[in-house]
Amino acid sequence: MIFILAMTGIALAGEVRYDCLHFVEQGLANDPQMAETKHGLESKNDKIRSLTAEVILPTFNVSMMVGPAPGLKETVDQWGDTVDTYDFSRMGPFWAVEAKFIQPLNLGQYRSGKKALEADLQQKTFEIENSTRKKEVELQSYYYNYLLALEMKRLAADAKKQVDKAYDQLEEALDEDEPTVSQNDLLNLKAKMHTVKEGVIEADLGMKRVMLAIRFALALPEGDTFATEDTVLAMRPEPLPTEEQVRDLTIKYNPELKQLEAGLRARRLQMDLAEAKLAPEFFIMGEFQYVKSWAGNRNVLQKSAFAQDAVNKISGLVGVGLRYRLNFWKSWEEFRKARTDYRGLQLKENYAADGLVAKAVEQYYQVVAAKEKLDAMRESLRASEALLKGAAMKYDLDKSQTSDLVSAYTQNVSMKKDYYFAVCRYNVEFAGLIAKMGLSLQEYNSYFK
């Protein structure tokens, strides 16, 4: 047997074994939906790179062309002047180049635009962080529901084993004509066996459903099997924070608050950008054109590179330009829209912190209530264990006590089932509390280490 030492622990070949933290980390790394969500950052980065690329000479075009050109010949016009006219009987090659550039001088617009895009990128980053926190809760629910399914399978298997044992004992007692056992006892036991079978079926179904979710989240290959380092479902070991700590951590770490702050900054900068576009824009513009033909005229082949005539030319210009958008109302409406969005976020800022803190505190109350219910259920489970033990002792002395034994055992199995469901609920509610505060599981463990 080959043993493999991995980040997730020691696992057998073909078996991947995780604890809760590593399962969450691996799920975040491999989940295809998270990869799709994070890909949204690329478009934001592309916009920033595109804006930066337009800072220096956003318009710089150079064109070249070659082809045939007519020659020139001297003729006398109707006024007696000697002029050059095209002579298509003497064709020759020509080469032309034309360049044009525009360099905007609106540095303020560029800075405001870039800062707005960077703030928008931050907003998207915190949005993804918030989605990541919710995904962590989902992954932790998979982990603890897997352990719950294991416990249910064990519980169902043990129940089936115990009922089958009692059934065999009753049949043996009937075969031996025990006076304390009747056929009704056997029928009574048979009538309750469907409950055990239903438990086995539900446990198998629960395991299959949670394994489908786990394999998808981890993108496990077909040959790999999933296993947990935890062998039993128990209350998670992380310490429960106080209500005051919940409030402070929510204010400090909640990504929705950071997302709102980045959104406010982005809207304010977009408003500044829209306001800047109301002003005229200055730019430097230049053009250059050069055409050279080797056709010349009938008498002299033109060899000078800078000679100008009807075919050959050289020209250029450079200067400072001013552009003002005459459709002022359109720019004004863009400014008003940016201002309205900014004021809307300002109104949201006034209550966002209190609302998010209230949600976190409400989740804290749910965790505390789940813990109290779990403590009470643990006491009831101990009492149920004692009742089962007493019923088993009576059954050993008197086989006619089958009904009492089955009743006590059914009650105990039901109590165990409720207890494990309560443990799972507490663990998942705790995961929700960590997410509502804005912390990852690793950050929470580090904070309360």
Side-chain angles (χ1 to χ4, degrees), residues 1-15 17 224:
M1 188 72 69
I2 299 174
F3 286 86
I4 301 173
L5 181 61
M7 181 188 70
T8 56
I10 299 177
L12 298 177
E15 181 181 70
R17 192 174 288 273
D224 289 348

Side-chain angles (χ1 to χ4, degrees), residues 243 246-247 250-251 351-366 436:
E243 183 177 337
V246 170
R247 295 177 183 275
T250 303
I251 293 293
Y351 68 84
D354 291 339
L356 290 172
V357 169
K359 288 183 179 179
V361 173
E362 180 186 8
Q363 184 67 27
Y364 171 75
Y365 292 155
Q366 291 182 10
K436 287 285 174 59

Side-chain angles (χ1 to χ4, degrees), residues 142-152 154 207 210 228-234 420 427:
Y142 292 163
Y143 185 86
Y144 289 114
N145 273 282
Y146 172 82
L147 292 176
L148 175 63
L150 283 180
E151 295 292 355
M152 291 301 100
R154 293 192 193 105
M207 178 60 75
V210 75
T228 59
E229 291 188 1
D230 295 311
T231 57
V232 295
L233 176 61
Y420 285 123
N427 290 348

